[in-house]
Amino acid sequence: MFALDVDSVWLANRLNALSREECVHEQKVLLGQMFRHALTFFTQSTDGDGAGAGASAESGSGGEGEEQRRKRNALETLVVFFHAVLQKDLAGWEIMDLLSGTMSESDLIFGRLVEGIESTLENPEAPVALKHRTLQLALVFACGIGQLSPGAYLLRRDLFPSIVMLIKLPETTPFTFESILLISVLLNYHKSEAANLNPYLRRVRGSVDHTFLSKACWALGYAFDTVSKKYQEIQDDTPPSLASTFGSFLTALRPDRALSSTPVETPKELFKDQPIEAAAGLLPLYELLQLNPVFTSVIVESLTTEGGPSSSGPTNRPPMIFSFVSLASYLFTHASSVGTPRSLSYANLTMRIIALMTSDEPMTAKFARESGNIRICRQRLPRLPESPTSRPILCSILDCLVLWLRHNLHKKLEVSSYRSCIYSVHSILWMLGRQRIRLEYHWEELWKSIFLLLEFTSSRVDNVKVLGRVDELIEETLIALELATLLAERLVPTPEALHQFVYELVRSKDIVDRQLSTLTALEVMIPSPSTQPRGVPLTIQAQALRAIKTIQGIITYYEGKINEKGTEMEIGDVMNVIATEVERDGLQTAPDREPEGPTRRLDSSSEGFVKWACRDGLALLSSA
C-alpha cells in the first residue's frame, strides 16, 4: 500500500466531487479507512527515514527507499484528503467521528497525527521536500479546521521550536512564509478564551530570536511585493518620468488628440479578486507587531540592512516596511470600490497594522527621518500629487491614510477602519509635534481629506446613524483636527504650508459649523466643559465640543480679517491676507492649551480576519 505515486489531481477531483452528506454517510467508512491507513504509513516510518535513505544508497539506485516512498505517498494523500474534506462545512464532532471511526479514538488518532508532524519536522535525516510537505500538512489542517474543536490537538504539542528550526535552517528557509502563516493561525486558535493554554501565544510573546524574526520580516516583504505587482499588472500606474511626461505633452499637441477625453479609471470589476492569497501574510505581521517587542527593532534595523533569506548581507530587495506601505496604498484605494467582505477585511487589518506602528513613537519618529522610494497607488482619480523619488517613509504612510479617507466614503461606511485611520493621523501629528519634526509633505491633501470625511457624515446623518459609533468617529476627527491647529507651526515645513492650512480651515467653515448639530442628531449628550469637575479628565464628548469651539475661533478670526479687506476677493487676495496676519502674529489658536496625544485604546483582536487568512492559506496550498 502507498507504493505507487499519488495522482494528486485525480484524487483531489474525486474528493472534491463528494457532497457533505456523502462524506458523513455513504462514504464515511471508506474515507475514514483511507485517512487512517495513510496516517499509519506516515507515522510508523517516521523513525525510519534514515534507514530508508540507507537502503536506497545500498541498492545503488540513487532513489529513495521503499519505506520512505510509502511515507511520502501517505503524506501526499493526507494533504490532498484534508484540503478536500475540511472544506465540506463539517462540524468539529463530525470531523472527529469521520477520521477516527469512533469519538473514543479521537485522542489517539489526532495525537498520532500531530506527533507525526512534529517528528518529521524535527528529523535531521528527513529530505527537505518531505519536511516541506509535512509543513503544508500542518498548515492545511490548521487552516481547514479553523476554530473547530479538533484544532485543540495542535495545542497539545508545542510545534513552535520545530517550525522556527525550519525558518532558520538554510535549506528550509524558503518555506518561511508558510511557517509564519502557520504560527499566526495557531496562536489565534480561540485566542480570547484560551489564551493561557495556547503555547504559540507564549512563544511569540517571549521570542528574542533575532534570526527567526529577521527571516520572517524578509519573507513578509517578499510576499507583499508579490501582491502589489498583481495590482500593477491589472493597471500600470508607474509614476510618470520626465521623458514620458514630455512625450504625453507632445502627443496632446497633435490635432487628432486635441479633444481627447480626460484619463479614465480601469473598471473596478477587474480588481474584484484582489488581493491575491499571499496577502494573508498581513496576519503574521499584525501578530508579530502586537505581541513581540523585538520585532519592532527588527523592522527598524531592516531600513539599513535588509538581508536575503539565507544570508545576512544586504540585497537589492527593499525593506519590508517599504513593501507593506506600498501594498497598503493599493488595498486602501480599492477596498470599498470592490466592496467584497474579503477586500474590506484585508484593508481593515492593514489599517490596524498602521495604527499599531504609529502608536509606537520611536518607530514613527524613525519613519519621519528615514527616506526611501515607496511606490504609492495611482489607479484611481483624483490622484495624489507627484512626489520626489526618495522621501521620508512617514510621507508615504500619510499618503495611504489620505487614500483611505478619500476613496472609501460609501453608504456603508467602514467606521472601524476610519476610526483607526484618524487614530493614526492623531498619533503622527502628536509625534511630529513632540519631536519638533517639520515634515516635507503635501499637507493640504490631508486637511482636505479630513474635511471631506466630516462633510460626508454631516450631510448623510440618516444613512450613517444606523452604522454605530459614527459619533465617536466624528468626535475623534474633530479632536485630531484641533490638535493640528495647536501644532501646525511645528509641523509644516514652510510658511506657505501654514497659510494653506488656515485657508482650508476658513473655506470649510460651513462643515465645521454643522458638526455640533450632527452630533446632536446622532443623540450625543455633549456636556459643557465648565460642568466638568476640576482634575477629572474631559469626556470625549466634552473634548469634541472644545475642539469645535477652538476651530471656530480660528476661522472667525481670519474670516473677520478677510472681510475687512472686502467681500469680493480672489483666492490669491485671500491668501495674501492670511499670510500677512500669520506672519505678523503667528497662528491665532488657543494659547493656554497643551496638545494631547490619542487616548483611545486600540482593539487588539484579529478574530474577524483569521477566517480569511485560513481560506487564503488553503488556496495557496491548492496551487502549490
Side-chain angles (χ1 to χ4, degrees):
M1 188 175 286
F2 296 106
L4 299 178
D5 289 347
V6 179
D7 188 338
S8 300
V9 175
W10 179 88
L11 180 58
N13 289 337
R14 293 299 297 270
L15 292 172
N16 287 329
L18 295 176
S19 67
R20 180 187 182 282
E21 288 68 26
E22 288 176 312
C23 289
V24 297
H25 293 110
E26 297 95 59
Q27 304 299 330
K28 175 183 175 183
V29 174
L30 178 60
L31 292 174
Q33 289 179 343
M34 177 191 297
F35 168 75
R36 290 189 292 277
H37 281 304
L39 180 62
T40 297
F41 277 87
F42 171 61
T43 56
Q44 74 179 8
S45 54
T46 296
D47 297 325
D49 289 314
S56 171
E58 291 173 6
S59 66
S61 63
E64 62 187 348
E66 183 67 25
E67 191 174 357
Q68 194 177 67
R69 183 183 303 113
R70 292 178 186 273
K71 178 184 178 70
R72 174 175 57 81
N73 290 330
L75 172 59
E76 184 67 22
T77 301
L78 289 172
V79 173
V80 176
F81 181 91
F82 275 146
H83 197 282
V85 172
L86 294 182
Q87 297 190 70
K88 303 293 184 183
D89 197 26
L90 302 177
W93 69 268
E94 290 177 317
I95 294 172
M96 290 191 287
D97 188 47
L98 170 64
L99 301 186
S100 304
T102 62
M103 292 290 289
S104 61
E105 295 292 316
S106 294
D107 284 358
L108 174 63
I109 294 298
F110 284 95
R112 285 173 57 200
L113 171 66
V114 179
E115 181 181 3
I117 291 171
E118 181 181 40
S119 300
T120 304
L121 294 179
E122 290 181 342
N123 188 351
E125 302 298 328
V128 170
L130 192 71
K131 288 186 176 183
H132 185 204
R133 204 54 171 160
T134 302
L135 173 67
Q136 292 180 329
L137 173 64
L139 184 57
V140 74
F141 180 68
C143 290
I145 287 295
Q147 301 295 307
L148 298 178
S149 52
Y153 290 102
L154 289 168
L155 272 59
R156 293 189 181 184
R157 299 183 79 94
D158 186 0
L159 299 179
F160 187 85
S162 304
I163 300 171
V164 170
M165 183 172 62
L166 286 181
I167 294 173
K168 296 173 66 175
L169 290 175
E171 62 270 21
T172 50
T173 289
F175 316 141
T176 296
F177 180 79
E178 292 162 306
S179 299
I180 56 175
L181 181 58
L182 174 58
I183 290 173
S184 65
V185 171
L186 291 174
L187 66 83
N188 270 284
Y189 182 76
H190 289 279
K191 189 177 182 180
S192 57
E193 305 98 20
N196 295 331
L197 303 176
N198 193 317
Y200 305 99
L201 266 173
R202 295 195 301 271
R203 289 285 196 172
V204 171
R205 282 195 182 108
S207 179
V208 293
D209 191 327
H210 200 276
T211 302
F212 154 59
L213 296 172
S214 296
K215 291 192 174 185
C217 187
W218 185 93
L220 291 173
Y222 185 87
F224 299 154
D225 267 347
T226 304
V227 181
S228 297
K229 287 176 182 176
K230 281 296 181 181
Y231 282 99
Q232 296 156 12
E233 289 175 8
I234 295 173
Q235 179 184 349
D236 183 8
D237 62 339
T238 305
S241 62
L242 178 61
S244 64
T245 303
F246 184 66
S248 299
F249 171 72
L250 293 179
T251 301
L253 296 178
R254 289 168 46 186
D256 60 328
R257 296 296 181 90
L259 300 178
S260 295
S261 60
T262 57
V264 295
E265 295 180 355
T266 301
K268 62 183 181 181
E269 290 77 13
L270 297 180
F271 296 96
K272 63 182 177 62
D273 296 325
Q274 302 304 308
I276 61 171
E277 293 82 0
L282 290 166
L283 179 62
L285 174 59
Y286 178 75
E287 298 298 353
L288 287 169
L289 266 175
Q290 180 190 196
L291 297 172
N292 190 286
V294 179
F295 189 67
T296 299
S297 64
V298 169
I299 292 177
V300 172
E301 290 169 11
S302 72
L303 296 177
T304 52
T305 55
E306 178 67 9
S310 58
S311 67
S312 58
T315 70
N316 293 326
R317 279 198 42 72
M320 183 275 290
I321 189 63
F322 285 29
S323 304
F324 166 73
V325 173
S326 180
L327 173 58
S329 73
Y330 287 93
L331 291 172
F332 293 167
T333 297
H334 294 287
S336 294
S337 62
V338 174
T340 64
R342 179 175 174 272
S343 67
L344 292 170
S345 186
Y346 270 108
N348 183 276
L349 184 68
T350 303
M351 189 63 77
R352 290 188 181 194
I353 293 172
I354 290 180
L356 274 176
M357 289 180 173
T358 55
S359 68
D360 186 317
E361 185 173 327
M363 175 185 275
T364 312
K366 185 72 172 178
F367 291 164
R369 295 186 173 100
E370 292 288 337
S371 297
N373 183 11
I374 300 177
R375 182 167 173 173
I376 297 297
C377 179
R378 298 174 59 80
Q379 292 176 335
R380 289 191 64 189
L381 302 174
R383 298 187 179 101
L384 288 167
E386 295 178 24
S387 302
T389 302
S390 182
R391 59 180 180 151
I393 299 167
L394 195 59
C395 291
S396 297
I397 293 176
L398 281 169
D399 274 352
C400 292
L401 300 177
V402 169
L403 288 173
W404 175 264
L405 290 168
R406 178 183 289 181
H407 293 304
N408 294 278
L409 293 172
H410 291 264
K411 184 177 180 180
K412 293 184 178 179
L413 192 71
E414 291 295 314
V415 176
S416 175
S417 293
Y418 267 94
R419 292 185 67 204
S420 295
C421 180
I422 294 299
Y423 175 93
S424 295
V425 170
H426 194 142
S427 298
I428 290 171
L429 297 177
W430 171 246
M431 182 281 299
L432 292 174
R434 280 170 53 87
Q435 301 284 336
R436 295 189 176 274
I437 299 174
R438 296 184 181 275
L439 196 66
E440 290 279 351
Y441 183 66
H442 34 253
W443 286 103
E444 68 276 9
E445 300 297 329
L446 178 61
W447 313 136
K448 291 176 182 177
S449 299
I450 290 175
F451 284 120
L452 190 64
L453 169 61
L454 291 174
E455 196 279 331
F456 179 87
T457 54
S458 62
S459 62
R460 293 168 174 80
V461 176
D462 292 337
N463 291 335
V464 301
K465 183 186 295 185
V466 299
L467 298 177
R469 312 195 83 165
V470 176
D471 55 330
E472 296 178 36
L473 168 61
I474 295 172
E475 291 160 354
E476 290 161 1
T477 304
L478 290 167
I479 293 168
L481 187 59
E482 182 197 30
L483 178 68
T485 67
L486 299 176
L487 296 175
E489 292 180 289
R490 305 184 206 172
L491 300 175
V492 296
T494 63
E496 291 76 18
L498 183 60
H499 306 158
Q500 183 68 38
F501 176 50
V502 176
Y503 173 74
E504 294 299 335
L505 288 172
V506 174
R507 73 192 293 261
S508 302
K509 177 182 184 300
D510 290 343
I511 297 174
V512 176
D513 290 343
R514 292 203 302 268
Q515 297 312 304
L516 188 57
S517 60
T518 300
L519 291 173
T520 302
L522 292 171
E523 301 177 359
V524 176
M525 299 296 295
I526 304 179
S528 170
S530 60
T531 64
Q532 293 284 316
R534 295 178 64 89
V536 177
L538 292 179
T539 65
I540 186 172
Q541 293 83 8
Q543 291 179 54
L545 177 61
R546 184 179 62 183
I548 292 174
K549 291 183 176 179
T550 299
I551 298 167
Q552 285 177 330
I554 298 172
I555 293 173
T556 300
Y557 177 83
Y558 288 103
E559 188 180 45
K561 296 297 182 181
I562 293 169
N563 290 336
E564 288 176 5
K565 301 297 182 180
T567 56
E568 300 294 331
M569 299 180 67
E570 300 291 336
I571 293 178
D573 298 326
V574 172
M575 291 296 291
N576 287 336
V577 173
I578 292 173
T580 300
E581 293 297 324
V582 173
E583 291 301 313
R584 185 180 64 234
D585 301 322
L587 181 62
Q588 294 296 314
T589 185
D592 57 341
R593 285 286 318 288
E594 284 295 323
E596 299 176 12
T599 56
R600 176 192 167 200
R601 293 186 62 184
L602 289 174
D603 180 8
S604 61
S605 173
S606 58
E607 290 181 5
F609 178 79
V610 175
K611 67 176 182 180
W612 298 110
C614 289
R615 291 182 187 182
D616 284 345
L618 289 171
L620 282 170
L621 292 175
S622 67
S623 59

